[in-house]
Amino acid sequence: MARVLVGVKRVIDYAVKIRVKPDKTGVVTSGVKHAMNPFDEIAVEEAIRLKERKVAQEVVAVSCGPTQAQETLRTALAMGVDRGIHVEVSDSEYEALQPIHISKILAKIAQDEKADLVIVGKQAIDDDANQTAQMTAAFLDWPQGTFASKLEKIDDKLKVTREVDGGLETIQIKMPAVISADLRLNEPRYATLPNIMKAKKKPIKKLTLSDLGVDTTPRIEVLSVEDPPTRQAGVVLADVDQLIVKLKEGGHI
Amino acid sequence: MKFFSPQLNSYLRRFESTLVIAEHNNEKLLPITQNALTAAKKLGGDITVLVAGTKCGSVAEQLSKASGVAKILVADNEAFLGFTPESLTPLVLATQNQFNFTHILAGATALGKSLLPRIAAKLDVSPVIITIIYHHSVSFTGNAILTLKSKDPVKVVTIRGTSFEADPLEGGSTQTEAIPAGDYKTDLSQWLSQELSKSDRPELTGAKVVISGGRGLKSGDNFKMLYELADKFNGAVGASRAAVDAGFVPNELQVGQTGKIVAPELYIAVGISGAIQHLAGMKDSKTIVAINKDPEAPIFQVADYGLVADLFKVVPELNQKL
């Protein structure tokens, strides 16, 4: 396997309680802590491990977004990725981008870079779409190994253990292929200070949408973004007996 | 569509047709398909159900009893062993070419989520996740509700099972028809094996009562008392990510943003602090009970009834008294 491409997204940090904008057009992102999407950290870690096991020769990270996406790429580089590709878009363009567009971008770069494997997280924790790997695989006509919790290369094939509803499933897919990482695929490493310093010297290539020739016409119109209904405040009970009374009242027992 | 008058609306709906992709294990239909059927009926228009698998005749028979279904297409082929998206996608595309559906629906399960985006990409449309029809919720950890309008000619949609009632599969007698044979064999992927957890308990996403344990349980052994409690309610047992990561229980029990979304009548959270990611998977439950010794735990902010107590005392007491 010569080259692994790994897709990374900059999202609002997982621990932040998001706020909906008063005009209902989206959520507040300015001045809010951002970080690499947790599933993408796992994707990066897996790609680096493939290189450390000498299964892959080179790992390239791709991120599409405004200027700040470079911070996310630097994080990937500090973890051990060899080089980065930043597909730069304006803030307004970025808001209209969906997995279908990102997948077309990833598919094009995978072809241009002659990647043998594309790894992305199974979902971004902001849009929760869970679509990019599947759509990238479809655009490339490559097989997909979604929700992967174990990856093994056997000759020119990949054995993938997947997290499915009732348990686990093992499939074998032909390379080149697309993988989406589930939480249990690995435990991502922390970038050490020396590696963060080294990452500053690693190359990040800049591309634009027109370089790639990808049509990013919006496919959806956002009508509104609202807060979900809030639950009424509950009561604290004194003991188990009171709880049993409440469960009886509710018809649960 | 909601922008048109009711008359025009029903006129337009006559031209709508929905394909529901049935999920099953070749023996039984999975309940999520019944939720998807209800969602399809809300859209109006003709409904076609596609059953693909290896020897899936009995599943088609179960479905034939559903009311309001125009057509049941059966694709019985060894190529669909393991329901790989690489074999099913060409089948759905062939079906779409023949019938030109306006909507293609499946449940938002591991299979639905793997398959539908692949189909959507091949049709060059953007897939959406629906919770309430015409309120296509794409959530920020369930902390925001996004209402969107799809501009694509074909809507490819995964349905959140907990948001729609299950269709009773009664009152209908739809004939099944075999889909014209095609060559759906692919060398791209091959299904090898599965290790599914066997359990006599109700399935987590469909259970009326769910008892979930978190890090506070301290060990997998201690989950026994949750199983005992679940038995009293004929309920299912779930877990927080912390409990899964610590190896107390297997992955498929995880409730939350990245695990299963549940909305039972009663959800009892035991030793779970209530991180945003966990709440995203259970906060639509009708009644929530929290048992936690930390009065500051965020779970108490969504709980209808809270017990600030040591779970190792309270749960055995509850088991004894019920």
Side-chain angles (χ1 to χ4, degrees):
Chain A
M1 198 190 303
R3 193 164 292 124
V4 180
L5 200 66
V6 54
V8 292
K9 183 179 185 183
R10 178 178 179 268
V11 297
I12 294 179
D13 187 88
Y14 74 95
V16 170
K17 174 123 180 57
I18 58 112
R19 280 182 301 130
V20 171
K21 286 182 191 166
D23 66 0
K24 297 183 179 177
T25 57
V27 300
V28 178
T29 55
S30 64
V32 174
K33 190 185 174 197
H34 281 67
M36 190 192 294
N37 179 41
F39 288 96
D40 300 349
E41 285 183 359
I42 297 168
V44 169
E45 176 67 34
E46 195 64 21
I48 298 166
R49 287 186 191 188
L50 287 171
K51 194 185 166 192
E52 287 170 346
R53 292 207 304 264
K54 308 253 187 276
V55 175
Q57 270 90 54
E58 192 190 30
V59 181
V60 183
V62 183
S63 192
C64 179
T67 319
Q68 298 96 314
Q70 284 184 30
E71 297 161 17
T72 308
L73 282 172
R74 288 286 167 209
T75 308
L77 295 172
M79 286 172 74
V81 166
D82 298 298
R83 59 187 169 91
I85 297 175
H86 177 206
V87 181
E88 193 167 24
V89 293
S90 67
D91 283 307
S92 59
E93 275 175 320
Y94 186 56
E95 270 178 29
L97 286 189
Q98 284 182 268
I100 187 171
H101 307 122
I102 301 292
S103 305
K104 285 183 177 178
I105 291 168
L106 281 177
K108 178 74 170 63
I109 295 176
Q111 283 172 325
D112 291 350
E113 293 285 338
K114 298 189 171 50
D116 304 282
L117 187 66
V118 176
I119 313 182
V120 294
K122 84 162 176 180
Q123 72 195 67
I125 61 164
D126 53 2
D127 64 16
D128 273 347
N130 196 331
Q131 296 164 350
T132 299
Q134 298 87 313
M135 299 188 93
T136 305
F139 288 128
L140 290 163
D141 266 319
W142 291 1
Q144 61 188 54
T146 48
F147 327 143
S149 63
K150 200 176 161 202
L151 205 58
E152 230 180 311
K153 185 172 179 280
I154 301 167
D155 303 324
D156 65 337
K157 289 187 171 147
L158 284 171
K159 199 169 149 189
V160 187
T161 305
R162 305 180 56 231
E163 294 201 9
V164 294
D165 293 328
L168 297 170
E169 167 183 285
T170 308
I171 57 167
Q172 190 165 278
I173 55 178
K174 218 170 128 178
M175 298 251 280
V178 180
I179 297 292
S180 81
D182 213 321
L183 281 174
R184 268 142 313 246
L185 183 58
N186 59 49
E187 199 156 316
R189 70 194 66 187
Y190 287 104
T192 59
L193 187 60
N195 284 343
I196 293 170
M197 299 310 287
K198 265 188 245 167
K200 291 186 178 170
K201 295 200 186 89
K202 290 184 180 175
I204 292 181
K205 181 162 86 178
K206 266 196 207 179
L207 291 176
T208 61
L209 291 174
S210 57
D211 291 336
L212 295 164
V214 173
D215 174 17
T216 55
T217 312
R219 306 304 189 86
I220 60 158
E221 184 187 331
V222 174
L223 302 178
S224 72
V225 179
E226 288 169 76
D227 282 311
T230 49
R231 292 187 74 94
Q232 289 219 312
V235 288
V236 173
L237 307 172
D239 54 29
V240 168
D241 294 327
Q242 278 194 8
L243 176 58
I244 291 173
V245 169
K246 292 293 181 193
L247 292 177
K248 274 187 184 150
E249 278 175 14
H252 300 296
I253 46 174
Chain B
M1 286 245 322
K2 65 179 176 183
F3 307 108
F4 301 123
S5 70
Q7 290 82 4
L8 186 56
N9 214 359
S10 66
Y11 175 74
L12 284 171
R13 276 186 180 195
R14 267 188 265 152
F15 296 100
E16 297 209 340
S17 56
T18 300
L19 177 71
V20 175
I21 300 171
E23 192 168 340
H24 62 92
N25 59 10
N26 288 313
E27 287 165 11
K28 260 173 44 194
L29 188 69
L30 297 191
I32 184 79
T33 308
Q34 292 166 256
N35 307 112
L37 263 178
T38 301
K41 286 180 184 177
K42 280 184 197 272
L43 288 168
D46 276 354
I47 298 173
T48 300
V49 183
L50 174 65
V51 186
T54 49
K55 300 190 182 71
C56 48
S58 61
V59 176
E61 200 175 309
Q62 265 178 282
L63 268 164
S64 65
K65 298 187 180 94
S67 67
V69 173
K71 217 180 261 150
I72 297 174
L73 301 172
V74 183
D76 216 318
N77 193 319
E78 280 304 311
F80 306 128
L81 178 73
F83 310 105
T84 61
E86 292 81 1
S87 64
L88 289 173
T89 301
L91 169 71
V92 176
L93 294 175
T95 313
Q96 172 65 13
N97 276 339
Q98 190 178 341
F99 297 101
N100 291 309
F101 300 105
T102 54
H103 294 76
I104 300 177
L105 262 58
T109 57
L111 176 67
K113 288 190 265 191
S114 292
L115 177 62
L116 262 62
R118 194 173 177 105
I119 294 168
K122 285 290 174 198
L123 295 171
D124 196 23
V125 300
S126 177
V128 287
I129 308 157
I130 277 201
T131 54
I132 312 160
I133 296 284
Y134 296 128
H135 292 267
H136 307 206
S137 161
V138 177
S139 68
F140 280 81
T141 322
N143 283 314
I145 306 220
L146 177 61
T147 305
L148 62 83
K149 192 171 142 197
S150 166
K151 296 177 173 180
D152 286 317
V154 183
K155 275 73 167 161
V156 175
V157 183
T158 51
I159 298 293
R160 183 172 280 196
T162 53
S163 303
F164 298 91
E165 297 290 323
D167 186 274
L169 302 182
E170 282 168 8
S173 57
T174 315
Q175 294 290 313
T176 62
E177 48 192 284
I179 213 165
D183 185 17
Y184 300 110
K185 265 213 185 79
T186 168
D187 65 344
L188 289 179
S189 70
Q190 187 192 351
W191 179 86
L192 296 179
S193 64
Q194 61 184 20
E195 291 167 56
L196 302 186
S197 312
K198 287 195 178 70
S199 164
D200 299 331
R201 275 165 239 285
E203 200 268 321
L204 189 54
T205 52
K208 292 234 180 323
V209 177
V210 174
I211 320 283
S212 276
R215 202 197 305 269
L217 266 291
K218 293 195 177 132
S219 79
D221 255 6
N222 290 331
F223 261 77
K224 277 184 195 146
M225 56 183 178
L226 297 194
Y227 283 109
E228 197 184 324
L229 187 57
D231 286 341
K232 312 261 181 201
F233 293 97
N234 187 29
V237 169
S240 69
R241 181 186 166 187
V244 172
D245 283 352
F248 300 170
V249 289
N251 308 343
E252 65 271 15
L253 296 194
Q254 187 182 324
V255 171
Q257 182 186 15
T258 64
K260 304 242 160 73
I261 310 278
V262 301
E265 300 282 320
L266 175 65
Y267 187 89
I268 305 184
V270 182
I272 292 176
S273 64
I276 302 171
Q277 291 77 17
H278 185 74
L279 300 184
M282 46 63 79
K283 67 188 167 70
D284 292 330
S285 305
K286 272 226 176 85
T287 302
I288 298 174
V289 173
I291 299 173
N292 202 302
K293 64 180 178 198
D294 175 11
E296 302 295 320
I299 191 80
F300 287 116
Q301 288 165 21
V302 299
D304 299 280
Y305 305 115
L307 263 184
V308 182
D310 181 358
L311 70 95
F312 292 103
K313 279 188 192 142
V314 171
V315 178
E317 190 186 341
L318 199 54
N319 274 333
Q320 194 208 325
K321 287 182 173 167
L322 283 175

